Amino acid sequence: MDSSIRIRAARWTDRQTVAALITDTLHPSPLAGWLVPDAAQRRRVLTDVVAVWVEHAMVFGDVDLTAAIVGFHRYRPIPPPANYPTRLVEAAGSHAERFTALEGLIAQQQPTEPHYHLALLAVSPTRQRAGCGSALLGHHRARLDRIDLPSWTTVPAEAERLLTRYGYTLRPPLTVPNGPSLRPMRRNPHHASRTMPTNSARPIGDRWHDQHA
């Protein structure tokens, strides 16, 4: 890790900065073009929708601002963002159905076991190839290994190689209708016990390891 790079957790006042950073990374991608075909509206819509999820992660997960990781601690099911259907329509307008369709498609492969959901990962175009993404993923990997928690994400094809370097393995690809292919990926914790964090009100077995080891 570059010693000049310091991991910084985002504060509540940083949420628009994080949303804009993620939009800068997502904006040129085929997925962004599919979600918001109208190029004139694309950046605003993406920023507004991402901001909803950044706020939600600050309550039910965490947000790191070195590059940007937005993730959720899914020890148990978590609710959607407050007033999400209304806020999504306000943010995305006529494009809201595409965001809903994408969320439904991704949810089909999401684990039911306790896991960390790496929802968004972005590095500002002006800081790419400077080690920011690697620093953040290395920090993220160490945290998950300490708490013995699997991680799961869905990324565009171009991010697959980076995630593979940090222990993620590819699951069956997802193809957005008339759109790009996405890569669901998972990572089991390393050098930790097989004891997984559980919700004592809803005991579970070790199905994640049984199915994915």
Side-chain angles (χ1 to χ4, degrees), residues 140-206:
H140 171 72
R141 175 179 60 187
R143 288 179 57 207
L144 295 181
D145 284 348
R146 281 197 299 272
I147 61 176
D148 199 28
L149 193 65
S151 182
W152 182 85
T153 189
T154 302
V155 296
E158 56 268 23
E160 179 184 338
R161 180 179 297 180
L162 176 62
L163 272 294
T164 298
R165 286 168 45 196
Y166 288 88
Y168 285 82
T169 57
L170 187 65
R171 305 298 297 158
L174 297 175
T175 300
V176 177
N178 300 311
S181 177
L182 300 175
R183 301 322 199 241
M185 303 185 77
R186 65 171 177 85
R187 179 185 181 275
N188 285 337
H190 294 172
H191 309 299
S193 72
R194 289 172 58 83
T195 303
M196 297 182 63
T198 61
N199 173 5
S200 59
R202 182 172 176 252
I204 64 169
D206 200 17

Side-chain angles (χ1 to χ4, degrees), residues 1-193:
M1 181 187 301
D2 185 339
S3 61
S4 67
I5 296 172
R6 297 289 181 265
I7 306 303
R8 182 163 77 85
R11 299 165 298 182
W12 186 255
T13 53
D14 293 324
R15 60 193 187 279
Q16 285 300 129
T17 300
V18 175
L21 188 158
I22 292 170
T23 297
D24 285 346
T25 303
L26 182 61
H27 186 269
S29 70
L31 179 60
W34 182 85
L35 286 168
V36 188
D38 187 337
Q41 297 185 40
R42 187 173 302 148
R43 183 174 295 277
R44 178 194 60 77
V45 169
L46 291 173
T47 302
D48 289 350
V49 174
V50 168
V52 174
W53 287 103
V54 170
E55 290 181 10
H56 198 50
M58 288 181 169
V59 178
F60 290 99
D62 49 42
V63 179
D64 288 307
L65 191 55
T66 305
I69 273 183
V70 176
F72 297 90
H73 303 278
R74 293 186 177 270
Y75 294 106
R76 58 184 64 83
I78 63 175
N83 303 315
Y84 183 58
T86 298
R87 295 179 70 188
L88 179 60
V89 170
E90 290 175 350
S94 61
H95 308 293
E97 289 185 2
R98 294 195 173 220
F99 285 89
T100 301
L102 177 63
E103 291 160 11
L105 186 66
I106 290 174
Q108 292 176 12
Q109 285 200 27
Q110 186 157 1
T112 57
E113 276 71 19
H115 67 284
Y116 184 87
H117 178 197
L118 175 55
L120 297 165
L121 170 65
V123 178
S124 170
T126 62
R127 300 193 69 188
Q128 290 177 3
R129 303 187 183 278
C132 295
S134 295
L136 194 52
L137 282 171
H139 173 73
H140 171 72
R141 175 179 60 187
R143 288 179 57 207
L144 295 181
D145 284 348
R146 281 197 299 272
I147 61 176
D148 199 28
L149 193 65
S151 182
W152 182 85
T153 189
T154 302
V155 296
E158 56 268 23
E160 179 184 338
R161 180 179 297 180
L162 176 62
L163 272 294
T164 298
R165 286 168 45 196
Y166 288 88
Y168 285 82
T169 57
L170 187 65
R171 305 298 297 158
L174 297 175
T175 300
V176 177
N178 300 311
S181 177
L182 300 175
R183 301 322 199 241
M185 303 185 77
R186 65 171 177 85
R187 179 185 181 275
N188 285 337
H190 294 172
H191 309 299
S193 72

